Amino acid sequence: MILKNNPPQGFLDEETRDGYTVSAHMKKVWAVQLDMLQELQRVCEKYGLRFWMEGGSLIGAVRHHGYIPWDDDIDVVMPRADFDKLQEVGPQEFTHPHFFQNFYTDPHYNHRHIQIRNVESAEYNSADLARYCRGIFLDIFPLDYLPNNPRAIRKHEQKLRKMKQRIKFTQKVFRHLPEGWYKYCRNNTKCLSDKWLYAQFEDELRRYKEDRAVVCCPIGYKNYSVVRAVSDYKETVLTKFEWLEVPIPAAYDSMLTAEYGDYMTPVHSATRHGAHTYETDRSYREVFKKVL
């Protein structure tokens, strides 16, 4: 396991939290992700960028001061302007063993958000053996703004979904082409380039500005969206997350209650990454020689 920031002594030991046993292996997966989170904090402090814990990671920060014991990933969100700045500086700031992954830095990458990867590790699903970097990851989503009226919101969402489907179709076609053809189309054409199509997709997401009434997290990136008030992110507080201190919205209680109901009562459930295999001591390059 190759890290830039080592965990505290004893962190990697198996332990029981809320009646759930967290294995030593999962603790190593957490350590890899927390190492990337610590690097994200460094970069954001250097450039004055904002981010907040999101989803299950936000619940974990509030309820457990760390991971939900049965969770296996970290999600954060950033305002669009900060997200774009991170896309500009990230490729230079995140160095080995970390890799700054998005549509522009990694051909065949098929997600529409940023992921920080540890290239000396591996995560994979037997149903999805794509050709992009498959190290253990940290997810970073943008907060994008919406128009002011429901009809305009519906039209905006419909346009984004169509653009998203076009990107996915293009990548599906390219998956079966020789690598040289794919790279030529990607770098020298427009309508046949998944990279160019994604740039148009992002331009549509940037269309509405911060003075609008609501913010959407993260529209066009998943199969659902969560609409929140801009004021939810007006103030930030710090809270413990394992051995780190992380930023969360001061309005976390109203946000989580609206989305999850009684979020303070733990409910043991499988994570959406439950079918994934995690390797902390072998690079995805080595692992994929055996699984491909």
Side-chain angles (χ1 to χ4, degrees), residues 234-268:
K234 185 175 181 180
E235 296 183 13
T236 298
V237 295
L238 296 176
T239 191
K240 183 180 178 184
F241 193 90
E242 303 302 337
W243 69 86
L244 303 177
E245 273 200 326
V246 298
I248 64 173
Y252 67 84
D253 183 63
S254 60
M255 292 167 59
L256 291 175
T257 299
E259 190 169 348
Y260 299 101
D262 180 16
Y263 67 91
M264 289 301 290
T265 300
V267 178
H268 292 199

Side-chain angles (χ1 to χ4, degrees), residues 171-205:
Q171 288 195 313
K172 185 177 181 180
V173 171
F174 283 152
R175 192 177 301 167
H176 305 289
L177 293 179
E179 189 67 11
W181 290 14
Y182 165 69
K183 287 184 177 179
Y184 178 84
C185 291
R186 188 173 206 262
N187 296 317
N188 296 281
T189 70
K190 290 186 177 180
C191 61
L192 296 178
S193 169
D194 56 356
K195 185 169 65 173
W196 183 85
L197 291 170
Y198 178 70
Q200 306 309 300
F201 176 79
E202 285 204 307
D203 283 344
E204 177 64 21
L205 286 165

Side-chain angles (χ1 to χ4, degrees), residues 33-291:
Q33 294 169 349
L34 288 162
D35 178 47
M36 292 183 284
L37 180 60
Q38 202 163 344
E39 279 298 288
L40 177 64
Q41 286 182 305
R42 177 190 66 80
V43 174
C44 287
E45 288 173 7
K46 179 176 178 179
Y47 291 95
L49 307 180
R50 298 163 291 169
F51 78 89
W52 301 275
M53 306 301 278
E54 167 65 16
S57 299
L58 177 56
I59 293 176
V62 173
R63 192 171 71 198
H64 304 276
H65 298 296
Y67 283 88
I68 296 174
W70 42 94
D71 202 2
D72 61 357
D73 73 338
I74 294 176
D75 292 328
V76 307
V77 292
M78 303 181 74
R80 167 55 70 176
D82 300 62
F83 183 89
D84 284 345
K85 181 64 178 180
L86 186 66
Q87 291 200 108
E88 178 186 330
V89 303
Q92 294 76 44
E93 288 290 344
F94 291 90
T95 57
H96 187 268
H98 301 144
F99 172 57
F100 186 84
Q101 185 179 50
N102 62 12
F103 238 80
Y104 308 110
T105 63
D106 195 353
H108 301 289
Y109 182 61
N110 62 0
H111 299 294
R112 283 154 295 281
H113 61 280
I114 294 170
Q115 291 185 313
I116 310 300
R117 299 267 186 175
N118 182 306
V119 300
E120 300 298 336
S121 65
E123 66 82 22
Y124 54 93
N125 182 330
S126 59
D128 179 20
L129 301 177
R131 286 184 278 180
Y132 56 82
C133 174
R134 295 304 298 261
I136 292 172
F137 61 88
L138 177 152
D139 283 324
I140 306 172
F141 295 98
L143 291 168
D144 287 305
Y145 301 92
L146 291 173
N148 276 329
N149 66 81
R151 182 180 179 185
I153 289 174
R154 286 195 299 271
K155 290 181 66 176
H156 182 55
E157 288 182 327
Q158 289 169 1
K159 185 173 182 179
L160 286 167
R161 288 194 179 97
K162 288 180 181 178
M163 297 175 84
K164 176 181 173 180
Q165 289 304 315
R166 188 176 177 189
I167 294 168
K168 291 176 70 174
F169 175 77
T170 302
Q171 288 195 313
K172 185 177 181 180
V173 171
F174 283 152
R175 192 177 301 167
H176 305 289
L177 293 179
E179 189 67 11
W181 290 14
Y182 165 69
K183 287 184 177 179
Y184 178 84
C185 291
R186 188 173 206 262
N187 296 317
N188 296 281
T189 70
K190 290 186 177 180
C191 61
L192 296 178
S193 169
D194 56 356
K195 185 169 65 173
W196 183 85
L197 291 170
Y198 178 70
Q200 306 309 300
F201 176 79
E202 285 204 307
D203 283 344
E204 177 64 21
L205 286 165
R206 296 185 186 105
R207 185 172 168 189
Y208 299 99
K209 305 303 180 184
E210 194 166 343
D211 60 351
R212 301 288 173 160
V214 290
V215 66
C216 193
C217 167
I219 189 170
Y221 284 78
K222 297 182 179 179
N223 294 323
Y224 62 91
S225 58
V226 179
V227 178
R228 297 177 180 149
V230 173
S231 58
D232 286 344
Y233 296 95
K234 185 175 181 180
E235 296 183 13
T236 298
V237 295
L238 296 176
T239 191
K240 183 180 178 184
F241 193 90
E242 303 302 337
W243 69 86
L244 303 177
E245 273 200 326
V246 298
I248 64 173
Y252 67 84
D253 183 63
S254 60
M255 292 167 59
L256 291 175
T257 299
E259 190 169 348
Y260 299 101
D262 180 16
Y263 67 91
M264 289 301 290
T265 300
V267 178
H268 292 199
S269 61
T271 71
R272 64 186 180 87
H273 298 298
H276 285 221
T277 298
Y278 295 94
E279 301 257 8
T280 58
D281 298 312
R282 292 194 301 164
S283 168
Y284 74 97
R285 300 184 187 93
E286 179 184 352
V287 171
F288 271 42
K289 287 180 182 179
K290 299 184 182 299
V291 299

